[in-house]
Amino acid sequence: PAWQWPAVGELLRSYGADTGLSNGIGIGGTVGQAIHAAASGRVVYAGSGLIGYGQLLIIKHNDTYLSAYGYNNRLRVEQGESVDRGQTIAEMGVGPEWQPQLHFEIRRNGSAVDPLQHLPR
């Protein structure tokens, strides 16, 4: 997929960090800030059933790649919905230590990979 950053903000946590969810990155911001689809695809999960992620969205981009967006305050899309790259899909919520942030993952064939290797510099 052609990736873009899902939110504008400071990189709070790197992939593989010792604290928080280590299978993605943490992007800081403000509560209610727009979260955007990092690439076009279809929402395959929208909810709060996975412990530790808060309100979570998962987008399937193709047979190889998924992206996940956690710690959302509000979801703006539903499961089964198609989304375009850059479309607002959620609003930022709070993560560990009540800090506003987005937890963002990219998964290739089901395994987490470092999003910074895919996002534009």
Side-chain angles (χ1 to χ4, degrees):
W3 300 101
Q4 74 167 42
W5 282 82
V8 175
E10 176 186 357
L11 184 65
L12 300 177
R13 193 179 59 261
S14 298
Y15 178 80
D18 291 337
T19 60
L21 297 170
S22 63
N23 49 358
I25 60 174
I27 303 170
T30 58
V31 172
Q33 176 180 331
I35 303 300
H36 304 281
S40 297
R42 180 172 302 277
V43 179
V44 294
Y45 181 82
S48 58
L50 291 167
I51 303 295
Y53 288 89
Q55 291 282 332
L56 174 68
L57 283 174
I58 299 175
I59 298 174
K60 182 176 182 175
H61 303 288
N62 56 34
D63 288 340
T64 304
Y65 286 99
L66 299 171
S67 58
Y69 310 76
Y71 304 148
N72 296 296
N73 189 45
R74 179 174 171 235
L75 304 180
R76 304 268 303 265
V77 293
E78 297 179 1
Q79 191 166 319
E81 192 172 333
S82 290
V83 295
D84 295 322
R85 177 179 182 246
Q87 179 179 336
T88 299
I89 57 172
E91 295 174 9
M92 187 177 289
V94 293
E97 300 173 8
W98 295 102
Q99 185 172 23
Q101 65 181 283
L102 168 69
H103 172 76
F104 178 68
E105 297 179 20
I106 293 177
R107 292 187 170 261
R108 181 176 55 227
N109 295 321
S111 297
V113 297
D114 186 352
L116 297 181
Q117 301 300 316
H118 297 274
L119 296 171
R121 302 213 183 268

